[in-house]
Amino acid sequence: NGVRLVDINGSETQYQVRATNDPRECAGAKHAIVLVKAWQTERVATQLKACLTEDGLALTLQNGLGNKETLEQALDHSASEKTRKKVSSATSRVALGSCTTGATLLGPGHVKAGGEGVISLEKNKALGPMEEALRSAGFNIQLVDDAKSLIWGKLVVNSAINPLTALLRIKNGELLERPTACEMMKSLAIETANIARAENIQLPFDDPVKAVVGVARKTAENTSSMLQDVLRGAPTEIDAICGAVVNTAKKHGMETPLNLICWLLIKALLGGDLLPNHRGN
């Protein structure tokens, strides 16, 4: 039936797509957008080696930390010596981006829009065709100089919204309507922003509280991806979000009690556990 998109106003549009689980059918591709969960990145990196040309570019719009490094490990190291000489660190085969556009998966190929957000892309000439395609599709695109700023800005938002909505089983906007939940959301945003500053990251916003409140308001009707995962009993990205914040904080001798408790609770919710070296913290 193609992909069906339900707009915020309830209208539905259908798009015909071609889908495959065989990367060989995509061989020779010049561009790829990586949208999978963080825990699936390693698998996808291997598949992309069979899809992309040697100078092909993969754009990650994923949540959490570490996705770019995982993709680079597979794609940059698999390129021929000739290609590597032409591709510097500034023009890696992996480009960074982030997305705050909300969406809820209603079923296979059936998606409901959850509020307009922004797709931010690092400035990279090689991204030209993808930028043009996304703009022509009506997405709100902005270009930024600092890719790490993108990822940490999204991490501030994700760490503050996703675990709380998953634990409370509410839509994003309800966080603003519940005073205690709202305070927890704001405190989580501040906590993660403090770790970003310790990493010398210049966030894409001056006020983390204002930023997270703005995203929650714009995506008020959205069911967060983490809540969607919890409801269907699927693995979440909590390790790459709150877990990544906790582990990064350790490098600086800093504590992140709010991210830690969210990490532990989400893991416990699905019957998971932390790796041995994280226990007792």
Side-chain angles (χ1 to χ4, degrees):
N1 298 318
V3 169
R4 292 177 292 156
L5 174 65
V6 181
D7 208 342
I8 296 178
N9 60 16
S11 63
E12 185 172 301
T13 307
Q14 186 178 26
Y15 303 89
Q16 291 302 312
V17 299
R18 180 184 176 191
T20 179
N21 60 4
D22 185 352
R24 292 172 299 181
E25 293 188 22
C26 305
K30 298 286 289 186
H31 300 93
I33 302 178
V34 182
L35 301 169
V36 300
K37 301 291 184 179
W39 59 271
Q40 298 171 312
T41 304
E42 188 172 353
R43 170 181 60 80
V44 166
T46 300
Q47 292 175 322
L48 283 175
K49 287 195 293 184
C51 294
L52 291 174
T53 58
E54 284 205 345
D55 59 347
L57 182 70
L59 168 66
T60 169
L61 295 179
Q62 299 165 272
N63 292 335
L65 300 182
N67 295 302
K68 183 174 188 284
E69 291 76 8
T70 299
L71 292 167
E72 284 179 334
Q73 181 69 25
L75 296 178
D76 289 349
H77 292 186
S78 68
S80 68
E81 185 64 27
K82 183 178 179 181
T83 300
R84 281 198 293 268
K85 287 180 179 179
K86 293 195 296 184
V87 179
S88 68
S89 60
T91 55
S92 165
R93 296 181 70 201
V94 183
L96 276 175
S98 72
C99 177
T100 59
T101 299
T104 300
L105 187 65
L106 301 177
H110 196 193
V111 180
K112 180 180 180 181
E116 183 181 1
V118 176
I119 295 179
S120 301
L121 305 175
E122 64 177 349
K123 290 182 179 178
N124 185 330
K125 289 183 179 179
L127 279 176
M130 278 195 275
E131 178 193 345
E132 182 180 347
L134 290 168
R135 288 189 188 279
S136 67
F139 287 103
N140 184 8
I141 304 296
Q142 70 174 10
L143 301 181
V144 299
D145 293 310
D146 187 357
K148 287 186 177 180
S149 173
L150 281 179
I151 300 306
W152 275 91
K154 181 72 177 293
L155 190 63
V156 168
V157 172
N158 284 156
S159 65
I161 292 178
N162 289 19
L164 292 182
T165 57
L167 290 167
L168 298 173
R169 307 209 173 191
I170 58 177
K171 293 184 178 181
N172 294 1
E174 284 192 57
L175 290 173
L176 301 174
E177 300 170 5
R178 302 188 184 190
T180 51
C182 189
E183 284 305 308
M184 181 72 167
M185 179 185 71
K186 293 175 180 178
S187 297
L188 274 162
I190 292 171
E191 186 176 90
T192 301
N194 287 339
I195 305 306
R197 295 188 184 99
E199 285 278 289
N200 294 316
I201 301 295
Q202 180 65 49
L203 291 171
F205 40 74
D206 295 325
D207 186 344
V209 169
K210 185 177 179 180
V212 75
V213 167
V215 172
R217 182 170 292 119
K218 288 181 180 178
T219 62
E221 292 302 311
N222 186 52
T223 301
S224 76
S225 59
M226 191 170 292
L227 174 54
Q228 293 181 58
D229 289 337
V230 167
L231 292 176
R232 64 174 182 264
T236 73
E237 296 181 294
I238 196 66
D239 291 339
I241 298 176
C242 292
V245 174
V246 173
N247 286 328
T248 304
K250 288 179 182 178
K251 296 193 308 182
H252 302 282
M254 299 172 66
E255 295 185 354
T256 49
L258 299 180
N259 274 277
L260 177 59
I261 195 65
C262 286
W263 188 19
L264 292 170
L265 287 174
I266 292 294
K267 298 288 276 191
L269 193 63
L270 295 178
D273 200 356
L274 301 182
L275 296 174
N277 60 320
H278 298 303
R279 291 178 185 172
N281 295 329

